[in-house]
């Protein structure tokens, strides 16, 4: 049989799914509590319609439709029971839903034993989360040696339909405590808390906040990141997103539950639709060690043309139904992860003009900034590629400032005084956006912050920032000052300090450094030379 019953098939996502299934040549039965709406949708796709209440559905009603697969696209699923899934299983039918509710998807595996015995497939979460997000992450991290961070984010277009069911689903967790794997452990955060800014592909940079979805559990369980697993969501325009963020904060402070206010809040949000970007966007990111053992960041982005974004959540469900009819599934019940690959999903996305892109970049700052980085000796690459916190120790000799004015300037930066042979410790905290270097030479300590800049790196000492050009060769890495700033204010180039700095490897295979900094009028400020090996 090729009949598919779509409960909620006249709704926003269910309607897109019903049309997609019909385009695949399947016979679609549109079901819902509003028979007139169901008939209208069914007529538009050449299907049939039936009245059905998903909360009270019976085995007999499902049998009567003659469907082989039941799809629940009605929602909301938050706080709900798998009533439809149980009825489908007892009727001997396969089942798929678009659930994005964390509690619903987590508890769904309890049906696995019964589903196996019944010989049917029950799939939950066949939507943007977790089905599509995991298909992307599986693709991005294939062959990786380790994963530190995974993240998925969704930002619908400003005029994307926000029905009552969608709003109720969001309000069940907005402002409420949410368990998140962050900073290497499980933490409690506020739903729609935090303000994150991400580049959402061609849709540009958007505001996002913490969203409670099944991915918070599933990404941590399947990819076992050492640092964090996040799912973020955003609203367009930014003013609407920030308003929801403040509303969540108010709910957290007062304890007021907002779900009952869904109709009023839905109405209040409508005027904002005309002033925001109507392109839908999705972003999935992974950070860790790639197949070659190099720290890497991989980002997949999806951009939907205006008005096409709402089709995205329906496409994984359509692909799951196709997999069932093609005999690619096994009896059992669980989340729709690990079943659909990004290759499986690609034709569905492309058919609707949803543009996707993948960008893989080195995670280490110096690897991105220095052309020819791969030519450097291994000890140098090891120091500059190490992510997180690392400690390096060795010995150094230093020369202090040449003039009284130079000594005053050097003291402001904390540059070391003259020492013939002193212990050295360099503690580096490296992240994807840059690194903090804390240096101790003898009794003197100084700190700098390094970050990205086009064609090199920037190094900040307090209020002063120096733009550096890097040149890599098989023997050494050299630094050259390209400009300097006080805060964001550019300073005259003719007054800029000069550096004669290079890094290399000695005949014992140790990382070596030779750093000299000079300034016009005052001469040498400091020079320090030595070696380092990793100590932690």
């Amino acid at each position: 049989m090729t009949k598919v019953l779509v409960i909620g098939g006249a709704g926003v996502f269910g309607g897109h799914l019903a049309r997609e299934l019909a385009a695949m040549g399947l016979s679609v039965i549109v079901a819902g509590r509003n028979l007139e709406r169901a008939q209208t949708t069914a007529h538009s796709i050449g299907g049939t319609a039936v009245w059905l209440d998903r909360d009270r559905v019976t085995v007999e009603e499902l049998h009567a439709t003659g469907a082989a697969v039941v799809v629940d696209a009605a929602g909301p699923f938050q706080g709900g029971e798998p009533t439809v899934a149980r009825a489908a299983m007892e009727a001997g039918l396969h089942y798929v839903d678009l659930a994005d509710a964390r509690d619903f998807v987590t508890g769904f595996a309890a049906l696995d034993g019964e589903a196996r015995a019944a010989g049917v497939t029950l799939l939950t979460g066949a939507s943007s989360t977790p089905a599509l997000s995991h298909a992307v992450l599986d693709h991005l991290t294939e062959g990786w040696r380790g994963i530190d961070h995974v993240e998925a984010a969704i930002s619908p277009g400003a005029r994307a339909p926000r029905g009552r069911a969608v709003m109720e689903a969001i309000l069940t967790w907005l402002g409420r405590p949410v368990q998140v794997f962050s900073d290497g452990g499980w933490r409690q955060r506020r739903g729609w808390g935090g303000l994150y800014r991400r580049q959402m592909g061609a849709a540009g940079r958007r505001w996002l906040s913490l969203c409670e979805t099944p991915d918070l559990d599933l990404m941590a369980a399947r990819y076992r990141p050492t640092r964090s697993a996040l799912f973020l969501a955003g609203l367009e325009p930014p003013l609407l997103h920030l308003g929801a963020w403040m509303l969540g904060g108010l709910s957290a402070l007062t304890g007021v539950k907002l779900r009952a206010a869904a109709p009023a809040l839905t109405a209040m949000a409508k005027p904002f639709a005309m002033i925001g970007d109507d392109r839908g966007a999705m972003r999935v990111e992974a950070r860790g060690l790639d197949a070659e053992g190099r720290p890497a960041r991989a980002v997949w982005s999806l951009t939907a043309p205006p008005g096409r974004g709402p089709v995205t959540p329906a496409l994984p469900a359509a692909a799951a139904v196709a997999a069932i009819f093609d005999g690619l599934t096994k009896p059992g019940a669980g989340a729709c992860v690990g079943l659909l690959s990004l290759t499986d999903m690609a034709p569905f996305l492309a058919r609707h003009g949803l543009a996707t892109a993948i960008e893989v970049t080195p995670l280490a700052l110096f690897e991105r900034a220095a052309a020819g980085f791969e030519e450097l000796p291994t000890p140098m690459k090891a120091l500059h590629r190490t992510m997180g916190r690392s400690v390096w120790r060795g010995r150094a000799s230093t020369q202090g400032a040449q003039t009284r004015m130079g000594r005053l300037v050097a003291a402001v930066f904390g540059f070391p005084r003259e020492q013939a042979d002193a212990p050295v410790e360099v503690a580096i905290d490296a992240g994807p956006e840059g690194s903090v270097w804390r240096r101790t030479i003898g009794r003197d300590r100084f700190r700098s912050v390094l970050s990205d800049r086009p064609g090199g790196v920037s190094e900040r000492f307090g209020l002063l920032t120096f733009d550096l050009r890097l040149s890599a060769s098989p023997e050494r890495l050299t630094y050259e000052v390209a400009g300097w700033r006080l805060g964001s204010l550019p300073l005259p180039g003719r007054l800029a300090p000069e550096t004669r700095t290079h890094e290399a490897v000695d005949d014992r295979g140790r990382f070596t450094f030779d750093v000299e900094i000079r300034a016009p009028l005052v001469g040498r400020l400091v020079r320090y030379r030595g070696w380092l090996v990793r100590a932690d």
Side-chain angles (χ1 to χ4, degrees), residues 13 36 62 140 149 205 239 324 375 381:
F13 302 133
E36 185 177 347
L62 296 183
L140 295 181
H149 170 83
R205 293 177 66 81
L239 186 61
I324 290 173
E375 299 178 12
K381 290 189 289 187

Side-chain angles (χ1 to χ4, degrees), residues 74-97:
F77 293 89
Q78 282 77 1
E81 294 292 329
T83 305
V84 179
R86 285 189 177 278
M89 179 174 59
E90 292 174 16
L93 308 179
H94 301 294
Y95 167 90
V96 176
D97 69 41

Side-chain angles (χ1 to χ4, degrees), residues 4 8 70 73 90 92-93 241 326 332 435:
V4 182
V70 178
E90 292 174 16
L93 308 179
H241 182 89
D326 289 341
S435 55

Side-chain angles (χ1 to χ4, degrees), residues 191-242:
W192 211 266
L195 287 174
Y196 303 82
R197 192 83 163 152
R198 296 287 188 267
Q199 179 69 33
M200 303 293 286
R205 293 177 66 81
R206 292 191 178 179
W207 288 108
L208 303 163
S209 294
L210 177 64
C211 176
E212 183 164 57
T213 76
D215 266 333
L216 294 179
D217 295 317
L218 292 170
M219 289 194 302
R222 293 193 74 229
Y223 303 102
R224 298 191 178 279
T226 58
R227 298 299 303 165
S228 52
L230 292 178
F231 196 97
L232 308 174
L235 295 172
E236 274 290 303
L239 186 61
L240 186 60
H241 182 89
L242 296 174

Side-chain angles (χ1 to χ4, degrees), residues 61-283:
E61 286 176 315
L62 296 183
H63 266 308
T65 65
V69 179
V70 178
V71 182
D72 187 354
F77 293 89
Q78 282 77 1
E81 294 292 329
T83 305
V84 179
R86 285 189 177 278
M89 179 174 59
E90 292 174 16
L93 308 179
H94 301 294
Y95 167 90
V96 176
D97 69 41
L98 280 68
D100 61 357
R102 187 177 188 177
D103 57 342
F104 186 93
V105 174
T106 300
F108 198 82
L111 300 175
D112 186 56
E114 296 176 71
R116 289 173 185 270
V120 296
T121 298
L122 310 180
L123 296 173
T124 186
S127 189
S128 304
T129 168
L132 178 55
S133 56
H134 282 247
V136 173
L137 282 170
D138 288 345
H139 182 84
L140 295 181
T141 62
E142 184 177 6
W144 279 25
R145 299 185 185 181
I147 298 174
D148 297 326
H149 170 83
V150 289
E151 177 182 302
I154 293 177
S155 179
R159 287 174 282 288
R162 299 186 180 99
R164 179 171 176 173
V166 173
M167 186 65 76
E168 284 186 2
I170 294 173
L171 294 177
T172 57
W173 48 260
L174 190 142
R176 304 293 91 197
V178 174
Q179 289 294 116
V180 181
F181 187 76
S182 177
D183 299 324
W186 288 97
R187 321 283 179 191
Q188 186 170 284
R189 300 285 188 257
R190 173 168 63 84
W192 211 266
L195 287 174
Y196 303 82
R197 192 83 163 152
R198 296 287 188 267
Q199 179 69 33
M200 303 293 286
R205 293 177 66 81
R206 292 191 178 179
W207 288 108
L208 303 163
S209 294
L210 177 64
C211 176
E212 183 164 57
T213 76
D215 266 333
L216 294 179
D217 295 317
L218 292 170
M219 289 194 302
R222 293 193 74 229
Y223 303 102
R224 298 191 178 279
T226 58
R227 298 299 303 165
S228 52
L230 292 178
F231 196 97
L232 308 174
L235 295 172
E236 274 290 303
L239 186 61
L240 186 60
H241 182 89
L242 296 174
W245 176 76
M246 289 188 288
L247 188 64
L250 181 64
S251 175
L253 285 173
T254 62
V256 173
K257 295 182 179 180
L258 301 169
R259 185 168 181 172
L265 292 173
T266 301
M268 290 171 61
K270 284 184 178 179
F272 291 94
M274 303 311 298
I275 60 174
D277 189 336
D278 197 32
R279 290 175 295 178
M282 183 172 176
R283 179 182 187 274

